[in-house]
Amino acid sequence: MPLPDLNVPAGCRHLWVAISGGVDSVVLLHWATQNSRALAARGIALKAIHVNHQLSAQSDIWQQHVMRLCTDWSVPLWVKRVNVLVRSESLEQAARKARYEAFEAELAAGDILMLGHHQEDQAETFLLRLMRGAGVQGLAAMPSTRALAQAQLWRPFLNTSKHTILSYAAAHALQWVNDESNSDTRFDRNLLRHQVLPVLHQRWPHAAHKISQAAGHALEAQVLLDEYAAADFAQLDVRTEKFGCSLCVHRLQLLSLSRQKQAVRYWLRGLGHLAPEAKHLDELQKVLAAKSDSVPALWVADYGFRRFAHRLYLLPCALTAPNGTTIEWLGEALSLPDGSRLQIIGCQAPLSIRFRVGGERAKPQGRGHSQVLKKLLQEYGVPPWLRYQVPLIYRAEDLIAVGDYWLEAGASKGVAVSWYYPSITGDE
């Protein structure tokens, strides 16, 4: 069976090949060069990118091999050397994260990155997800195309067998490198590749094709679920908040439990977060069912849920109160310790920015007397997790504004305050 035709998705400006030096990526690059005239006729520039993870003693040898291939085939090559930092994840996950960050840093809008994943890779991914108890979305395994920051990722060989790729490499006398770590069955994917899939192929010769086919069916089911989730999500009164976003708890609870979970998954994916595990979605039900006078929370990886005033908030991270901190404002936009930005106009510097420690009093414009700041923040509907984050703006010892919630009585006319989170609003 031959390799597929090179049907580049529309709108491509630069077609990049991710080349590791292994057989799959070498075949991918060679196949693309065989279509270079057709690409040039469409105004598409062919480029290659190699990520050196610096994890193997052979890493630099692999890099040199890739550089020779690209020189021989007249393909411009970008080499990215990365440092793989393993934190809570596995080495495989950390290397993948570093690799994709390198891709995203290099590619721009209108660029497409091709990866050499094939049918057996898809089967391995399906089985890995199956062993983790994944749902429909997980069992859909790898999509053939998806967004990659501003660019797009494309896997043209996803329905192509490994046998076809090896046959192509032999027919064209291609040379490639072998990563010794690919034989280490301590890694889950390698165990599947070397010990599980061969047994399946002995009994069912087309096992990889059938598993890949099952992943395709799961993808179709997920597309349908997403359509239902989008319709449900549109009814949940979603709002952008000062820090994160929120939806109406009552409207969410009108849905069945399964549809609630699907709507939450849809919400998270739309914001670029990984879908929560099933146990986290079960924990979320406790947040939704908590007493109305409580402010329950659930933190998952780099985001969390909190409930307040009949709304479920999705927050990008836990906030740490900057108690006791004083920051001088000298007339320019200011970055605060929690990542928020503060802009003040209509005031002359210097001013100082402080934060609640407890016991402060304030007097909003139009009020006849001062009140305890804590009570005023409650009155203004400020969520509890922001009440110690609100910047208190002082001239000497006189409070003139509380964030952008209100100006104090006696503040000069024309004063305006803006307090926002750039990562949430998209402002800079």
Side-chain angles (χ1 to χ4, degrees):
M1 181 184 229
L3 294 178
D5 293 333
L6 181 60
N7 296 317
V8 181
C12 180
R13 185 170 60 97
H14 298 124
L15 183 63
W16 295 76
V17 176
I19 179 166
S20 66
V23 62
D24 304 329
S25 62
V26 168
V27 167
L28 183 65
L29 181 61
H30 185 271
W31 172 71
T33 63
Q34 300 304 293
N35 293 272
S36 57
R37 288 186 179 179
L39 293 173
R42 291 179 55 186
I44 300 173
L46 181 63
K47 300 180 179 182
I49 183 169
H50 173 76
V51 177
N52 186 336
H53 299 87
Q54 305 183 85
L55 293 175
S56 168
Q58 306 298 312
S59 293
D60 289 342
I61 296 175
W62 301 338
Q63 178 180 319
Q64 291 298 321
H65 178 72
V66 168
M67 292 171 69
R68 284 194 297 272
L69 287 179
C70 289
T71 298
D72 292 344
W73 296 342
S74 301
V75 179
L77 173 67
W78 275 253
V79 174
K80 309 285 284 188
R81 298 176 72 88
V82 299
N83 295 313
V84 178
L85 302 176
V86 180
R87 295 187 175 90
S88 59
E89 70 271 59
S90 68
L91 178 62
E92 290 174 288
Q93 292 171 321
R96 181 186 184 279
K97 180 179 179 182
R99 182 166 62 252
Y100 277 79
E101 286 176 350
F103 292 153
E104 292 177 0
E106 196 63 50
L107 273 66
D111 291 358
I112 292 178
L113 176 70
M114 291 199 297
L115 300 182
H117 294 128
H118 49 74
Q119 199 169 77
E120 279 78 357
D121 291 325
Q122 184 75 313
E124 291 164 11
T125 301
F126 181 95
L127 292 173
L128 281 171
R129 304 274 180 86
L130 183 66
M131 292 301 98
R132 294 170 187 162
V136 173
Q137 181 188 352
L139 296 180
M142 295 183 288
S144 59
T145 60
R146 71 167 176 84
L148 181 68
Q150 303 177 70
Q152 188 177 2
L153 182 151
W154 179 35
R155 299 181 174 99
F157 290 172
L158 205 54
N159 293 316
T160 301
S161 71
K162 180 75 171 189
H163 174 76
T164 298
I165 290 171
L166 291 171
S167 297
Y168 181 98
H172 293 274
L174 301 181
Q175 294 183 335
W176 61 88
V177 298
N178 290 304
D179 183 346
E180 70 278 3
S181 70
N182 287 336
S183 300
D184 188 346
T185 54
R186 290 177 300 174
F187 296 115
D188 292 343
R189 186 175 288 274
N190 290 342
L191 179 71
L192 290 171
R193 181 176 302 159
H194 298 297
Q195 296 185 12
V196 176
L197 276 171
V199 173
L200 293 177
H201 278 118
Q202 286 177 9
R203 183 63 179 259
W204 298 282
H206 302 292
H209 171 70
K210 293 300 183 183
I211 294 173
S212 180
Q213 196 174 55
H217 295 326
L219 179 60
E220 289 182 4
Q222 185 60 50
V223 170
L224 182 60
L225 288 173
D226 283 344
E227 291 178 2
Y228 284 114
D232 286 340
F233 188 69
Q235 305 301 315
L236 298 182
D237 186 27
V238 179
R239 301 176 190 166
T240 298
E241 302 288 353
K242 178 71 73 177
F243 189 62
C245 51
S246 73
L247 53 74
C248 175
V249 168
H250 174 67
R251 294 188 184 186
L252 180 64
Q253 291 180 318
L254 289 176
L255 302 174
S256 68
L257 181 57
S258 295
R259 288 170 65 180
Q260 286 182 41
K261 292 179 178 180
Q262 198 63 26
V264 170
R265 292 190 188 100
Y266 181 86
W267 188 19
L268 289 163
R269 285 204 309 277
L271 294 171
H273 293 297
L274 294 175
E277 297 178 20
K279 64 181 180 181
H280 294 136
L281 288 173
D282 290 338
E283 287 293 318
L284 182 59
Q285 290 302 312
K286 297 179 183 178
V287 173
L288 296 173
K291 294 180 179 179
S292 59
D293 58 352
S294 65
V295 188
L298 169 65
W299 295 104
V300 182
D302 60 347
Y303 62 87
F305 299 96
R306 300 199 71 155
R307 204 198 68 198
F308 172 67
H310 309 295
R311 298 192 67 80
L312 179 66
Y313 286 75
L314 177 61
L315 308 176
C317 63
L319 296 174
T320 301
N323 286 352
T325 301
T326 298
I327 302 171
E328 298 301 318
W329 180 76
L330 301 176
E332 299 180 352
L334 191 63
S335 292
L336 301 181
D338 61 5
S340 63
R341 298 287 298 277
L342 181 67
Q343 290 183 317
I344 307 170
I345 61 173
C347 268
Q348 292 186 344
L351 302 174
S352 63
I353 312 302
R354 308 176 197 176
F355 301 89
R356 277 188 67 206
V357 294
E360 297 90 350
R361 297 184 69 85
K363 183 180 178 182
Q365 288 182 344
R367 298 291 179 105
H369 55 84
S370 67
Q371 291 177 266
V372 175
L373 180 57
K374 177 182 177 180
K375 295 292 186 182
L376 285 168
L377 292 174
Q378 292 174 349
E379 178 185 332
Y380 275 74
V382 179
W385 53 90
L386 286 183
R387 292 174 191 168
Y388 282 95
Q389 310 297 128
V390 177
L392 308 179
I393 304 166
Y394 285 84
R395 178 182 290 112
E397 294 304 312
D398 295 327
L399 179 64
I400 64 171
V402 175
D404 52 6
Y405 291 108
W406 71 79
L407 296 175
E408 284 286 292
S412 303
K413 291 184 179 180
V415 173
V417 177
S418 177
W419 177 46
Y420 60 94
Y421 288 81
S423 61
I424 300 304
T425 64
D427 296 326
E428 296 296 338

